[in-house]
Amino acid sequence: MSYQHQYVDGTKIHFPLGKVVCIGRNYAEHAQELNNPVPTEPLLFIKPSSAVVPIEGGFSIPDDRGSVHYEAEIAVLIGKPLSRKPSEEEVRDAISGFAPALDLTLRDVQARLKEKGYPWEIAKSFDGACVLAPFIPGDAYSDLADIDVRLTINGEIRQDGNSCDMLNPIVPLIQHLCGHFSLQPGDVVLTGTPKGVGPLNKGDTLVLELPGKSQFESRVL
Ligand code: ZN
């Protein structure tokens, strides 16, 4: 199924789908569960637009490259160009939406790459590696340091985080990454995963939500 940005009410968002900028280890308890040190500066990587699939109707995972882990994350849709050193107000004004997302990761492949000190690209960028839900409007939260994200698999809550636990909160994170590259309307920022990551399996049923704001059911095809 091809992907186009949209709001939960079905309104299409006419920004082209751009890159998906991700941060690793943005919650201390998640870094610890994978025995990773907590980074001193944001650990960034990018998924290409070809990795993005919509959550509706279910999604597929690779079955020939070892375990595929789910990482539930708060996705931020960028709606205005941002570059260099945007102010807090400019960043806030450029946010056009929030959605829950899955950063899917080939964990065995990533472990091998990490061991060698190589980039993670092929573990994070395969087709279908970014599952995105429809967005709620960018003004849906008055406090960006109090956004819940939750993932339930087969009836069991596996991840239940809040943006207050981010090591790099949303606005400073976006300011930081603009120091490295510009953001364009249609780009998405995935803000890191709270603790509780684990493998996904064919047939799993999922509920991915920004509790109190939006909720989506899906399954692994
Ligand atoms: Zn992630």
Side-chain angles (χ1 to χ4, degrees):
M1 201 177 159
S2 72
Y3 175 89
Q4 187 189 347
H5 290 314
Q6 60 172 323
Y7 286 114
V8 287
D9 67 1
T11 313
K12 302 288 180 211
I13 303 173
H14 294 287
F15 302 135
L17 169 62
K19 59 187 174 294
V20 180
V21 183
C22 308
I23 177 168
R25 305 174 202 167
N26 201 23
Y27 291 77
E29 287 179 314
H30 166 63
Q32 286 152 10
E33 75 181 343
L34 294 180
N35 294 316
N36 287 316
V38 173
T40 51
E41 71 171 294
L43 180 62
L44 304 178
F45 58 97
I46 293 179
K47 291 176 188 264
S49 57
S50 51
V52 177
V53 291
I55 194 165
E56 299 99 324
F59 57 91
S60 306
I61 57 175
D63 58 4
D64 56 354
R65 281 163 273 175
S67 75
V68 180
H69 272 205
Y70 56 81
E71 296 185 357
E73 312 203 358
I74 299 163
V76 178
L77 176 65
I78 302 298
K80 291 185 178 170
L82 288 173
S83 62
R84 299 182 62 83
K85 288 183 179 166
S87 66
E88 268 185 56
E89 293 68 34
E90 286 169 321
V91 170
R92 198 63 186 80
D93 186 52
I95 295 176
S96 286
F98 296 95
L102 294 174
D103 164 15
L104 298 185
T105 305
L106 290 164
R107 193 68 77 200
D108 299 334
V109 173
Q110 185 193 34
R112 283 200 295 275
L113 295 166
K114 262 163 61 179
E115 215 168 88
K116 293 180 181 166
Y118 290 170
W120 303 347
E121 231 55 47
I122 59 170
K124 289 281 195 180
S125 300
F126 57 91
D127 291 2
C130 181
V131 181
L132 272 184
F135 290 89
I136 56 171
D139 60 4
Y141 294 97
S142 53
D143 182 2
L144 301 194
D146 186 14
I147 302 178
D148 290 311
V149 58
R150 184 186 298 150
L151 175 63
T152 304
I153 301 179
N154 302 328
E156 195 182 307
I157 295 175
R158 300 288 183 85
Q159 292 188 277
D160 197 2
N162 184 286
S163 61
C164 70
D165 291 320
M166 289 180 178
L167 299 170
N168 303 274
I170 292 173
V171 171
L173 168 63
I174 293 173
Q175 287 178 305
H176 173 87
L177 52 92
C178 288
H180 293 287
F181 40 77
S182 58
L183 294 175
Q184 299 296 334
D187 286 350
V188 174
V189 178
L190 295 194
T191 54
T193 195
K195 70 172 183 218
V197 302
L200 269 185
N201 294 295
K202 233 180 203 177
D204 283 346
T205 59
L206 294 83
V207 180
L208 182 62
E209 55 187 317
L210 298 178
K213 300 287 188 183
S214 67
Q215 187 186 71
F216 307 90
E217 291 179 22
S218 192
R219 65 199 173 95
V220 184
L221 302 171

